[in-house]
Every structure is written in C-alpha cells, then in structure tokens.
Amino acid sequence: MWRAGSTVTASSKPVIELKNVTAGYYTAEGFKTLKKVFKPAITKIDLKVNDGERLAIIGESGSGKTTLLRVILGLLPPLRGDVVVLGEQIYRVPARLRWRITRQIGYVPQDPAKSLNPRLRVAEVMAEPLARTDLSEKEKAERIRDALRIVQLHESILDYYPSQLSGGMMQRVLIARAIVHDPEILLLDEPTSALDVSIQAQIINLLCSIHEKLELAMVTVTHDLPVAQYLADQAVILYRGTIVEKGPMEEIIAHPRSEHARLLVTSYLSGLNGLDRINRAEGVSAGIKRETQR
Amino acid sequence: MVLAVKSEGLKIGYLDEQDNVLWAVKGVNLEVSEGEIYCIVGESGSGKSTVALAISGILPPHAVTEGELYVYGNLVIRGESRSYEKIRGRLVTYIPQSPGTGLNPYLTLGDQFYHVLKSLRGSTRKEAKAEAKKYLEMAGLDPASTLDRYPHELSGGMQQRAAIALALSTGARVLVADEPTSSLDAHLRLQIANLLLRLREEVKLTVIFITHDLLLASRVGDRVAVMYAGSLAEVGKLREVLLKPLHPYTSMLVDVIPTLGVKKQLKCYSGEPPRPGSNDEGCPFFDRCPYRFSKCAAEKPRLSLAEGDRYVACWLYGNRE
Ligand SMILES: Nc1ncnc2c1ncn2[C@@H]1O[C@H](COP(=O)(O)OP(=O)(O)OP(=O)(O)O)[C@@H](O)[C@H]1O
Ligand SMILES: Nc1ncnc2c1ncn2[C@@H]1O[C@H](COP(=O)(O)OP(=O)(O)OP(=O)(O)O)[C@@H](O)[C@H]1O
Ligand SMILES: [Mg+2]
Ligand SMILES: [Mg+2]
C-alpha cells in the first residue's frame, strides 16, 4: 500500500549510525606481485537511520551500495570510522559475539536465485535465522508459519526446493526468512530488480505493508529511483563511494541539488513527457470497456 | 511501404530431453515497416528473445518452427525449414543484452572491425579502419581513443555503443536489440535510446527493440507489440497504447509501473504468468484477468483489429476478424 508517507512515525532513536566510515577491499595488484592494495569502495560515509524510518540508498552499479550493507551487517570491518548498530559499536565487539547484535537485522540479499542454497528445502532455509535462539521447535514452526502468512505464501511451499520456485516466490521466501526472527532492522539489497514489473509491484506493496505491521527500520538499496520513491521516505544518493546528497525522498525528486542527482532524476523524467505522466496517473485503464458482455 | 519483417502464424518451440516440444511462441503475426522502431515488451519467459533470435537467424538447433517469417521479402522460416544464408549478419544483426557480450574480449575494437569486415567483404586493414571510424563516430564514440582499446577498458555504456557500431558496420538494415540497455544505469539507458533514434534518422535503420521497460520503450518506439505467454496481446502505436491500453494485460502493465514524481498507488494484481507447457485452452491471461467471463476460459482470442490501427487479442473487443 502506498501513501504519501509511511504511517509509522520514525522516532529520533537511531538504530544504525555510521560515522566517517571508509571501507573497501584488498585486491592483488598486477600478476607478478602478491602485494595486496587497499581499494576503498565507500569513503567517509556519515549515515543515520532512526527507528521506524524507511531509508533508500540509491546509486549506480558499483557505487558501493552492497559494500555499505556488508559493513552494517558486521561482515566487512571498515578501514576507518565507527559503526553503531542498536547502540553498540559492532566492530569493537569480538567477531565471534557480533552475531548477538547483527541477528537483530533481517537481510534480503541482492540476487535471489544465487542466494538460496539449491540443496535446502524452503523449510530449512526459513529455520536458519532461528537456529541460535532458545525457541522450542513448536515456537519455531509457529514463527515460520506467521512469516509465510505475512508474505502470502501457502505452507505447502515449505517442501519445495529453490529451483521449483518462480522468481517472485523466491523473493517472498527470502523476505519471509528475513523477518522470521522479528528483527528491528530490515536491509533489502535491490529487492525488485530481478523481477518482472507486475511481480515487482506485488513485492513493493508487500514490503510497505511489512514495514507498517512490524514497525521496523527499513533500508532499501536500489539503483531505481521510482522504486525508491515507493519504499522510502528518506534517501541518500551514493556516487562513486561517497554520499552526494541526502534528504527527504520527495525533496530530492522535486529539487535535486547535486549534479549527479539531477542527472538521475532527469533521465527518469524523460521517459514520458509531463503531460503523458499526468494523464496516465488519472486515467489509467480508462480504455477498458467496463460493460463486459457477460 | 516496404516491410522489413513479416511473420504469419509463427510458432517456435524448444525440444526437451524427451523430444517433446514446449512452445515458446504460439502463432505470432508481425509486420514491421522499414525505418520503424518496433518494440516488443512482455514479462520474463513471454517469448521475446525467441522472436528476436528467429528474426536474427540464430535460433539454436533444438528449436522447432512452424509458420512463416520474411525478412525484406526473403522467406527465412517456412514451416520446419529455416534458411538465412543471405540474411544473417548482412541484412539483420543482433545486439545481446549485456554490454560486451557482442564483442570479442581478446581483440581491440579496431581488430574486431577488421575481422568482421574481412570475412564479410574481404576488406583490407585500411578499409576496415576507415569504416570503423565512420561507425564509431556514428555511435557517438571517439575513434582516436577507442580503436586501440580492448572491450574491458571501456565502460558498459561505451561497450554497448561499440557493439552497435560493429553491428552496423556490416551494412545491416535491421538491428535486433534484445534488452540492450537493461544492465546499464538510467542515464546510459537513455543515451543508447537516443542513439537508436538518431540512427533511424541517419541510415533509415529498422530496429526491433526488445525490453521489459515500457517507459523506455515509449521513449524510442513507434509501435509496440505486447507479448504474454507466447502470444501477442496488443499491437499499436506506443503512445496510444500507453495512454489508453485496451487489453487488460497491457492495462495491468501500465498500472504497475512506478513512475517518478507521480503519486499513484500501485495496483495489486496477484498471480504470475502461466508456466511454459501449461494448458493452452482459452485466453492465457484468464487467471489474472479482472474482466474475464466464461468464453475466455473456453476459447483463445485471436489478435484482431479493435479500433483505429490497434490490434487486440481479447474477447472484450468482440474479436472481429
Ligand atoms: N569482494 C570484492 N572484492 C573486491 N572488490 C569488490 C568486491 N565487492 C565489490 N568490490 C568493488 O567495490 C566497488 C563497490 O561495489 P558494490 O558491490 O558495493 O557496488 P554496488 O553499488 O552494490 O553495485 P551493484 O549495483 O552492481 O550491485 C566496486 O568497484 C566493486 O568492483
Ligand atoms: N535455448 C532454449 N532451450 C529451451 N527452452 C528455451 C530456450 N530459450 C528459451 N526457452 C524457453 O522459452 C520460453 C520463452 O523464453 P524467451 O527467452 O524467449 O523469453 P523472454 O521473453 O525473452 O524472457 P526474458 O525476459 O526472461 O528474457 C521460456 O519458457 C524459456 O524457458
Ligand atoms: Mg550491489
Ligand atoms: Mg529474453
């Protein structure tokens, strides 16, 4: 369901805070040397996500979006800077204990087809996030059923293998897995880009309703500005690893300030000219003859 | 008016391991005029690429065909037999989806032009270089700084332009572009779209533009064919189809596209397209159609003239022949 904004009011309690974060990868330089050099993928990132907020991280391919999520998930220690998740400096916590904090994050990875183990049934996939909890088997089964109900999948899907699922069903399974342990933060990496438009709309509406029901902070990574418009109220624009613009989503669309944001906004607006877009918003499906010949 | 591509009752299927045919394209009639930018849109698995491969003459050997397909009057598919000798790579050329796959990674751009032109027309190095310059410029690339580069030294957008330049250098009259921009960023997508528009003006190129992005299609296309589950649901002028979709499936597509700066609720249509090989009786959109009635389950509607020059395959429109 889409409204001008979400009904969940974001509090001013930050659940994620990044201060001056630089992170990247060590890559081999040339063929002959084994020397590894550090290549930053994101530099000097300052970012705050409040409880209940919907934030979009928008950027082109290679701009560092996935890297940023890895840092938040506790998977990639930054070269510099502080990463605070739910009040804890996660990289000051020993790596083997870090999961106690990061399990509060639900995560939907970028490529649905590649991120499910082909040998595991949906039932096993769904149980993964519950493994280290002290819930009884009965409670776990209950949680899994609830999560499936939220993403509108039938329970019979538990017996399926990933290869038997369509793209849309797979994405629903991944979303169900991300919320099955009732996390406080939901991170979505390009949640709709592998899907067809009609399925994409289903997933967008689903994610909006999940945000309202579960009242969590939702961070969506995407290269698609129109999709971000539906999934977020706040946005940051990432360009070559740095944040070039941040603010309310509507503000950025209406008045992009940075060069890059302007380029991005105009390349979407020129898809159809203004007149067409307004006509379309008002009179969609006007063409269908409603007096059907029953 | 010269027809660049025409098909009649074109059916294309693929043989599975048990030698059963799964039909991916189920009787399609296309008419594309010379110099037209003709878009084919539809969801994953609807058969777009299969049509593209058929026109380009690169269907795999395990593909099965029925019906007829003409390219510039040459009969290339006639029932089960296919022959593309005079067409493939000469009259028609194909641009694949991801940037770079249309290029050889081991050769500089200059060498790629040389190899292609030598094998097609026996060009010398010097002739090939002159041609390469001409087409790279046409594609908006600077020959001086690109001729000696390898594909991986170019950005995705530049690779895709280079692939287009290389394809055009063959003198092809029809360019089949299968999702040529889907892996590019928004502003690069627009650049490629503008390039195609310009080429149509300059060399009267016919472009078959395959995409699932209806908005991008609206930017480049003259006409659009909307495919669903291997059949054409609607064919018409792009603008008109977008502003006033007639087929319920086209309506759905228009309803579910998020548009920047337009505040509308995305309508929820449940369901997914039928799986290949599922039963073929009735309208393929039946399960998801809000306007279905009993006839739709029993009989498959054929594409027929609904109003003006708009063709629709839907019983709501009487389905006159
Ligand atoms: N495992 C890795 N090792 C080395 N370099 C990497 C690795 N992962 C990403 N990079 C590099 O870091 C930069 C940012 O990559 P990242 O995956 O964060 O981008 P992205 O914005 O998610 O892009 P996309 O939209 O394509 O997913 C890129 O230049 C990429 O090549
Ligand atoms: N080489 C092949 N062998 C067997 N089946 C194939 C082959 N190529 C495509 N198919 C099948 O034919 C049907 C149509 O596929 P096609 O690739 O034409 O669809 P498409 O509209 O291009 O989809 P997409 O948007 O995913 O590219 C699908 O069911 C697909 O599985
Ligand atoms: Mg990524
Ligand atoms: Mg395809």
Side-chain angles (χ1 to χ4, degrees), chain B residues 269-288:
Chain B
Y269 288 81
S270 56
E272 302 191 2
R275 298 205 156 198
S278 55
N279 114 19
D280 250 351
E281 276 159 42
C283 173
F285 193 56
F286 182 78
D287 289 344
R288 305 171 84 184

Side-chain angles (χ1 to χ4, degrees), chain A residues 155-177:
Chain A
E155 265 177 57
S156 60
I157 204 158
L158 288 171
D159 292 328
Y160 284 41
Y161 286 98
S163 61
Q164 297 168 301
L165 305 176
S166 69
M169 278 151 84
M170 218 181 281
Q171 194 61 301
R172 283 173 198 268
V173 167
L174 283 168
I175 293 171
R177 180 178 70 171

Side-chain angles (χ1 to χ4, degrees), chain B residues 209-279:
Chain B
F209 189 86
I210 304 213
T211 181
H212 57 259
D213 184 345
L214 209 48
L215 286 183
L216 183 72
S218 76
R219 177 96 180 105
V220 290
D222 303 310
R223 277 196 304 154
V224 64
V226 180
M227 275 192 95
Y228 190 78
S231 304
L232 297 184
E234 181 158 3
V235 178
K237 293 213 179 70
L238 239 166
R239 238 187 106 82
E240 292 171 9
V241 170
L242 270 182
L243 290 176
K244 191 184 170 202
L246 294 183
H247 195 288
Y249 174 64
T250 321
S251 274
M252 173 182 107
L253 281 186
V254 171
D255 284 347
V256 297
I257 306 174
T259 313
L260 197 68
V262 174
K263 295 179 186 177
K264 59 163 186 186
Q265 185 157 339
L266 294 184
K267 281 212 194 142
C268 222
Y269 288 81
S270 56
E272 302 191 2
R275 298 205 156 198
S278 55
N279 114 19

Side-chain angles (χ1 to χ4, degrees), chain A residues 198-260:
Chain A
S198 72
I199 316 290
Q200 171 177 302
Q202 294 171 9
I203 298 292
I204 288 176
N205 288 339
L206 172 66
L207 289 172
C208 291
S209 75
I210 285 178
H211 176 258
E212 292 193 354
K213 255 184 230 150
L214 306 186
E215 304 193 348
L216 33 66
M218 190 162 97
V219 178
T220 308
V221 151
T222 180
H223 68 279
D224 193 322
L225 206 48
V227 167
Q229 171 188 252
Y230 282 84
L231 291 177
D233 309 302
Q234 299 288 319
V236 300
I237 301 211
L238 209 56
Y239 181 62
R240 297 196 178 163
T242 57
I243 293 179
V244 293
E245 187 149 347
K246 63 170 100 175
M249 193 75 229
E250 306 212 328
E251 184 68 25
I252 293 181
I253 294 171
H255 310 287
R257 273 176 278 121
S258 63
E259 181 63 38
H260 184 70

Side-chain angles (χ1 to χ4, degrees), chain A residues 196, chain B residues 12-16 22-25 40-53 59-60 62-63 97 178-179 210-212 227 230 274-277:
Chain A
D196 279 320
Chain B
I12 307 163
Y14 297 99
L15 288 172
D16 66 8
L22 280 182
W23 292 104
V25 174
I40 301 179
V41 303
E43 297 184 72
S44 186
S46 57
K48 305 182 298 294
S49 295
T50 303
V51 171
L53 297 177
L59 279 174
H62 66 285
Q97 171 172 356
D178 192 358
E179 313 240 12
I210 304 213
T211 181
H212 57 259
M227 275 192 95
R275 298 205 156 198

Side-chain angles (χ1 to χ4, degrees), chain B residues 9-24:
Chain B
L10 181 64
K11 289 178 75 176
I12 307 163
Y14 297 99
L15 288 172
D16 66 8
E17 288 91 34
Q18 287 84 41
D19 274 353
N20 299 315
V21 184
L22 280 182
W23 292 104

